[in-house]
Amino acid sequence: MNLPQNFIPAMLITLFAGLSTAIGGGIAFIVKKDNLKALSVGLGFSAGVMVFVSFMDMLPEADKLLSINFPNNHDWLTFLGFIIGIVVAILIDYFLPDHIDTEEVLNPDDPTHYDHKITKIKRAGLFTAIAICVHNFPEGMATFFTTTQNITLGLSVGIAIAIHNIPEGIAVALPMYHVTGKKRYAMLYAALSGITEPIGALVGMFIFGLFLPQVLVGVLMAAVAGIMIYISFDTLLPLAKEYGDWHQSIVGIISGILVIWISLILIGG
């Protein structure tokens, strides 16, 4: 099987996006809880980038690719790919939800939470890590595939996913730290929770390289857009509100849209 174009930068960007959970693991021990509200802007920024890129770049590009081989029904195939992506994301959420009790994670020693017992904190770290691993798998495929098609677009997606992986690293590291008492151990778990992104990239490359006809690449791109839209509205924006307030999230969303729009104009021009 031949390697896709832009293979090396695609893998590097995907690896960076995945291992940014380790950044969250580090932030968990050096930033006070009150300062975590700044993540609200970052999460909103990430959502703004992903929504803009999905609707303004990925879906039009998917439709353009499909129109070459399916001139009469390319629009329906683009729509179908988008729905497939959303359904895949919903199924992952249904079988392994990744919702995290933010207050309990950030304050596991708070007396108001002692009724939950230490066993729940132990389970929180382990199951949060497992859930994030599963959720990061399609994100890795999305980042990798997008970069192979367009490095600029892939870098934008990679940065957006990296920002949204930071609080995931925090959510894994803190419970593990309170169970083990070892920061290095907690940060290792945070880093490992993101390693499935480059693994997802390699598995996706193998599967699609063997089984996906080239004429249906546009469907895959539309599916990736669907996954990103679902992640934005189901995970990023609710979590942004938990870490800060809605006004901070809005600032992040608008900033993300404007920054990625300007960067695509400058680089594309």
Side-chain angles (χ1 to χ4, degrees), residues 4 17 27 33 54 98 102 116 134 168 190 206 211 246 262:
I27 290 177
K33 182 205 167 189
S54 295
D98 67 343
T102 308
H116 295 280
V134 175
E168 291 184 347
F206 176 77
F211 302 111
W246 191 236
I262 291 173

Side-chain angles (χ1 to χ4, degrees), residues 186-222:
M187 289 186 66
L188 176 62
Y189 263 79
L192 290 177
S193 69
I195 201 66
T196 51
E197 293 213 2
I199 293 175
L202 293 175
V203 172
M205 180 185 70
F206 176 77
I207 293 175
F208 297 128
L210 290 180
F211 302 111
L212 185 71
Q214 189 64 28
V215 294
L216 293 180
V217 167
V219 175
L220 176 60
M221 182 170 283

Side-chain angles (χ1 to χ4, degrees), residues 8-67:
I8 293 179
M11 281 304 303
L12 290 176
I13 291 173
T14 305
L15 184 64
F16 162 74
L19 294 184
S20 62
T21 53
I23 299 175
I27 290 177
F29 307 115
I30 62 176
V31 178
K32 295 181 180 179
K33 182 205 167 189
D34 291 341
N35 291 333
L36 288 176
K37 291 184 177 181
L39 285 175
S40 178
V41 177
L43 289 165
F45 185 94
S46 178
V49 169
M50 293 175 74
V51 170
F52 182 87
V53 164
S54 295
F55 283 123
M56 299 301 293
D57 264 285
M58 298 188 73
L59 288 175
E61 182 64 21
D63 192 64
K64 181 180 177 181
L65 290 173
L66 288 168
S67 66

Side-chain angles (χ1 to χ4, degrees), residues 60-206:
E61 182 64 21
D63 192 64
K64 181 180 177 181
L65 290 173
L66 288 168
S67 66
I68 298 174
N69 296 289
F70 305 96
N72 297 323
N73 52 13
H74 58 89
D75 47 355
W76 282 107
L77 287 174
T78 303
F79 177 78
L80 177 63
F82 183 76
I83 296 299
I84 289 174
I86 291 179
V87 170
V88 168
I90 289 175
L91 288 175
I92 292 175
D93 259 350
Y94 178 80
F95 289 107
L96 193 58
D98 67 343
H99 178 73
I100 300 161
D101 188 332
T102 308
E103 187 64 27
E104 183 172 329
V105 167
L106 294 178
N107 292 287
D109 291 329
D110 191 327
T112 61
H113 296 294
Y114 272 132
D115 290 339
H116 295 280
K117 298 180 180 181
I118 191 65
T119 55
K120 187 169 183 179
I121 296 177
K122 291 179 180 178
R123 288 166 59 87
L126 179 59
F127 283 101
T128 298
I130 294 173
I132 289 173
C133 280
V134 175
H135 281 262
N136 282 352
F137 197 85
E139 291 176 12
M141 293 173 60
T143 306
F144 178 82
F145 178 77
T146 304
T147 307
T148 61
Q149 302 299 307
N150 185 318
I151 293 181
T152 302
L153 201 57
L155 183 60
S156 302
V157 172
I159 292 174
I161 289 179
I163 293 173
H164 122 256
N165 278 349
I166 291 175
E168 291 184 347
I170 294 173
V172 172
L174 278 182
M176 286 298 178
Y177 172 65
H178 283 272
V179 169
T180 65
K182 299 179 180 180
K183 293 182 179 180
R184 291 182 180 178
Y185 190 70
M187 289 186 66
L188 176 62
Y189 263 79
L192 290 177
S193 69
I195 201 66
T196 51
E197 293 213 2
I199 293 175
L202 293 175
V203 172
M205 180 185 70
F206 176 77

Side-chain angles (χ1 to χ4, degrees), residues 205-265:
M205 180 185 70
F206 176 77
I207 293 175
F208 297 128
L210 290 180
F211 302 111
L212 185 71
Q214 189 64 28
V215 294
L216 293 180
V217 167
V219 175
L220 176 60
M221 182 170 283
V224 168
I227 291 173
M228 288 170 54
I229 291 296
Y230 183 86
I231 290 171
S232 298
F233 287 103
D234 179 72
T235 302
L236 298 188
L237 295 180
L239 195 56
K241 190 175 182 180
E242 285 187 40
Y243 275 103
D245 59 50
W246 191 236
H247 294 290
Q248 292 172 319
S249 305
I250 292 295
V251 169
I253 293 170
I254 295 175
S255 299
I257 291 173
L258 295 180
V259 169
I260 191 59
W261 196 347
I262 291 173
S263 65
L264 290 176
I265 291 174

